[in-house]
Amino acid sequence: MTIKEIAKLAEVSTSTVSRVLNNSGYVKQEVRERIEKIIEETGYMPSDVAKGLKDRKTNLIGVIIPRLNSRTTSLVVEGITRFLDKKGYTTLLANTGIRLEKELEFIKVFKQKRVNGILFVATRVSKEHAELLEKLDVPIVFIGQDAGEYGFPSVVHKDYNAAKDMTKYLIKKGHRKIGFIGVEESDVAVGLERKRGYIDAQFENNIEIDQGLIATGNFEVSSVEPSMEKIMQKKPSAIFAVTDSLAIGAINYLIKNGYQVPEDISVVGMGDSGIAEIYNPGLTTVKYEYLESGEEAAKLLIESFENKVALRKMMGYKLIERDSVRSV
Amino acid sequence: MTIKEIAKLAEVSTSTVSRVLNNSGYVKQEVRERIEKIIEETGYMPSDVAKGLKDRKTNLIGVIIPRLNSRTTSLVVEGITRFLDKKGYTTLLANTGIRLEKELEFIKVFKQKRVNGILFVATRVSKEHAELLEKLDVPIVFIGQDAGEYGFPSVVHKDYNAAKDMTKYLIKKGHRKIGFIGVEESDVAVGLERKRGYIDAQFENNIEIDQGLIATGNFEVSSVEPSMEKIMQKKPSAIFAVTDSLAIGAINYLIKNGYQVPEDISVVGMGDSGIAEIYNPGLTTVKYEYLESGEEAAKLLIESFENKVALRKMMGYKLIERDSVRSV
DNA sequence: TTGAAAGCGCTAACAG
DNA sequence: CTGTTAGCGCTTTCAA
């Protein structure tokens, strides 16, 4: 079914049909009704493909995510779709499995689909990304990692400050030997910034950094065990894990090994992953504004269509005290 | 940047550029290289919009989901994107917030975008859906709810059997008074089928159904409290919740009220939501093949492009025994 | 108030 | 081996 067929059925020209479709220009009431009736009956829907060709605007926004099986990403995407839907944009979703080559490939695919912009939930941003994006010239906003270095607008979380605050909180509770479960530093936000916060907080409180208390694994819960084995040799009174999953992995490890949380040892996470709330004990953690960051990034992108300014938006956070820490 | 501009730069016709782009027909090696160089330098990417118009194939698949903040949906979508990506399709995502009018609207939007097919993660399927889809004539596969009644292919989980098996399991463990926390029956799969399983298993074991043991809320954890208050008056020895979140809500309620799980009362859920595994105690539940159902549905859809047969695919399940049940 | 015609970017006969 | 041309479905002057 095309506009031409509708025109023929209504015995008018395609222009006239187009006019009633877009409510533009003059159409005699009687003719309008005739056409509307036919459209209704046939279930005809105009093609956005043809329209897109005509006015080079697809109203498509490409969203690139590392994976979907994390609450973080889900919330960000939820925020994105919520905002874009309101503004009449449709979301194209690309799931990369955190593979750089996939990320680059999807950026190209999006360009071919002529998306009006890209939202990139990144775990790291490289020169390759920057060069490709530069070349393809698509509006983009990064989420979760700062791409300001390459001149791209970004929506980031205050990872450094949050981790520092959390560490200070533990220190205030009397802890001086705080184990740290981190992830690869190639993930600047989670791996590097949070670690910096952890270190600086101790530095400012004149606590000597003990490398024996610091373990680096990956995001998989299975990586917690070796990390914990290393850390526990130093007999810490608290564990600071950079994500809630890792924190819960740590707690489960402790329980399995006969410790009580928080009686014997305190544990905190970051991310307020939903599990944190319903877990037993309730996990003390930092709540980030994930849903809001998705909305904010989408908003930034849409706004950049008009005035293109590269900027960085910092999202807030909140320390949520629950039952996994005790004072010593 | 268009094919025309590339053609001009390379001093050839657009057809020749098109030929090197698609690796079709003959092009003199020397000319080919010249064109490729220009494409490379300019970062030109052919427009899928124009291509789509030409050969009425967009390689777009629309995915409609109720919301993203559940592990179930995330896994299904993960499975979908995984499969579609392999096959060269791109995913359009529509997040409805479980509002019927949004669902219908997105189906129309997808039609306008000329998607080649739709995957609908449904919570219920109505006549309105059926009529619209009939009229718009878009290939579709339902996920999670059976739309066979309206002649649409569906990928569903064995909700009835799984719930029945779970109930039988509790019975075998010696439980005769089993509380039931369900959801609205408008959700046929989760609300109705699972309840039927619960009832039939008891019927077959000559256990009289006590309406006082059956409570119906919604998916929100907050709805658990009133349900539990009602059920606990009957002093059950076990609770069967139709989702893991609900089950954990129940456990938290019990703990708050001084009960021990499973010592005082057993609790089981359904869905193997990830929380089930790391929760304390480990939750006995049913693991569904969510990721696989996404893949399976996408596969069905793509296959239906060739031979269009409406069919129903039943996904398997597995009872996962953990630590939230004891024998009585 | 309506229609004819051109053009958006690309591909595929067809002709050379 | 390469170019010309028509047409995909739609909107938008420009005329009438």
Side-chain angles (χ1 to χ4, degrees), chain B residues 156-170:
Chain B
V156 295
H157 300 279
K158 293 182 177 166
D159 288 290
Y160 171 76
N161 295 288
K164 198 167 166 181
D165 278 2
M166 181 57 98
T167 311
K168 281 195 210 158
Y169 166 82
L170 288 173

Side-chain angles (χ1 to χ4, degrees), chain B residues 3 18 22 44 46-47 54:
Chain B
I3 198 174
S18 176
N22 300 289
Y44 163 75
S47 162
K54 178 87 183 109

